[in-house]
Amino acid sequence: MNIQTFDLLGGRTPEQFLREYWQKKPLLIRNALPGIDGLLEPDEIAGLALEEEIESRIIVERSPVDWELRHGPFTEKTFKNLPKTHWTLLVQALDQYCPPVSDLLSLFEFIPSWRIDDVMVSYAPEGGSVGPHYDYYDVFLIQAHGQRRWQLGQMCDDATPLLPNLPIRILKDFQGDQEWVLNPGDMLYLPPGLAHYGVALGECMTLSVGFRAPSEQDILLDFVHSQLQQVQQDKRYSDPDLLPQANPGWIGPDAVERIAEIMRRAVSDPAKISVWMASYLSQTKYEREPEPPESDYEEDEVADLLQTNQAIRREESSRMIYTGDAHRPEHFFINGAEVEIPPLTHSLVLYLCKQRIYRPTTLEMFCRTPECLRLVTQLLNQGILYFEDDTFQEDDYPDAEE
Ligand code: SIN
Ligand code: CO
């Protein structure tokens, strides 16, 4: 699929989309991803739901107020025993198991990659739905097969009433006021908190590109925890400027200010914050280590393979993030761990962070520098990069105009 962001956003530039819609209001884009039908097979999705390490759920609607939730892994028998209609299979993190789905993420590269959570897929027969609900995150819903009718409703928050005693969050009072039928290739963007209700019109598959926004609680907790290890134990509260006070039980503004200063010093250094962010936000969604190759690559071997136009990909669950100047990386993190940036590898690091599939001719050029060849070999031997079986196809690469 060779799609430009301009078409994906219905003729809008990323700037227009971000300014007018992102986190603000929904947008329907007809035919955003023409040719997506056929990218996924229902059997393939059902097959993934049998796997132990893949997060999957089945939601069955017994009646509008009676919903059942089952967690995977499932067996073939589970699928045989499901009703004919009104159920949905959800499989998380399809981007990690299905390289063509991972490739779709490059269409969203105008949004920082650390904001992306995963791509979930839903498969449903006629009437299948997860009910009227809202999510805490932005989502792009891509109709991958068949048709789904979407209704959009009110903005919600934690105070919005839900139906009681159900295993899933279903709105008690869904006020649908917009309705669209999505066909394969159509895409619907929804901001966080907007009520939505999608019902399958016949067999259908929907991809949800979901974003993540860490809670303020999690941000503070993890940042403070990371800084604690760096604070010297013997650094104590001190008050050499203490003045006498009439009531010893009083905490006065001077004492509050001394404590506030300790806190400000700990949390307000942008350099510390950016390094912590890179570490925290490059952690993978699941604790699954990339698999190293059966035997280590030698640098010469990598240089030779790059000459043969052998495609290279980033292992699908791996996250790469850098800090510093946009064009001059200072810290480079992969999957929560810092990777040293050797001299002369800055442009390579930028290229690795920008894409998920790498043009062999571009990598080959980088790898004429020994430091770059060493870094690429190191990442191949860690399983963070891997040689694909296929050779390079021009259309597969998002950096076509480089
Ligand atoms: C679905 O694909 O059925 C549900 C996606 C969503 O509503 O977030
Ligand atoms: Co939703």
Side-chain angles (χ1 to χ4, degrees), residues 104-147:
L104 287 180
L105 292 177
S106 62
L107 294 167
F108 298 91
E109 68 175 26
F110 59 94
I111 300 167
S113 57
W114 62 262
R115 288 284 269 120
I116 293 176
D117 189 27
D118 72 347
V119 183
M120 179 187 84
V121 64
S122 68
Y123 167 85
E126 171 68 26
S129 156
V130 301
H133 67 282
Y134 71 95
D135 299 307
Y136 290 104
Y137 312 105
D138 308 80
V139 65
F140 287 93
L141 297 157
I142 301 167
Q143 194 56 28
H145 177 69
Q147 291 185 312

Side-chain angles (χ1 to χ4, degrees), residues 47-99:
L48 292 173
L50 310 181
E51 308 261 346
E52 185 85 38
E53 73 278 8
I54 298 183
E55 189 186 334
S56 59
R57 286 166 291 162
I58 290 176
I59 292 172
V60 184
E61 181 183 359
R62 300 195 188 289
S63 83
V65 292
D66 184 7
W67 297 76
E68 185 194 336
L69 169 68
R70 301 185 203 167
H71 290 279
F74 300 105
T75 61
E76 284 173 15
K77 204 165 143 209
T78 318
F79 291 105
K80 282 202 188 96
N81 292 338
L82 280 168
K84 279 217 153 25
T85 63
H86 292 79
W87 57 268
T88 295
L89 166 68
L90 302 168
V91 176
Q92 290 302 146
L94 193 65
D95 49 310
Q96 297 189 15
Y97 307 107
C98 183

Side-chain angles (χ1 to χ4, degrees), residues 7 58 61 63 67 99 104 122 129 168 179 183 222 224 285 326 328 339 345 359 382-383 390 397 399:
D7 301 323
I58 290 176
E61 181 183 359
S63 83
W67 297 76
L104 287 180
S122 68
S129 156
I168 57 171
E179 181 176 312
N183 296 307
D222 201 275
V224 169
K285 187 173 164 83
R328 178 94 189 158
V339 177
T345 62
R359 186 184 283 269
Q382 290 173 326
D390 293 342
Y397 289 77
D399 62 337

Side-chain angles (χ1 to χ4, degrees), residues 289-297 302 305-306 310-320 332 334-335 339 348-349 351-360 362-364 366-367 371-389:
E289 294 280 311
E291 245 177 68
E294 271 171 28
S295 58
D296 274 4
Y297 288 99
V302 172
L305 281 165
L306 288 173
Q310 190 86 7
I312 289 202
R313 282 179 178 275
R314 184 193 306 178
E315 186 275 326
E316 282 68 22
S317 69
S318 290
R319 291 177 177 265
M320 296 187 182
F332 177 33
I334 304 179
N335 303 341
V339 177
L348 171 65
V349 168
Y351 182 61
L352 293 174
C353 288
K354 184 160 168 30
Q355 298 187 186
R356 294 161 199 270
I357 175 162
Y358 307 101
R359 186 184 283 269
T362 307
L363 277 185
E364 194 273 327
F366 277 120
C367 287
E371 289 81 355
C372 289
L373 179 60
R374 198 162 310 132
L375 181 57
V376 169
T377 308
Q378 172 194 326
L379 298 180
L380 282 163
N381 287 336
Q382 290 173 326
I384 290 164
L385 298 180
Y386 71 95
F387 279 108
E388 217 182 9
D389 294 338

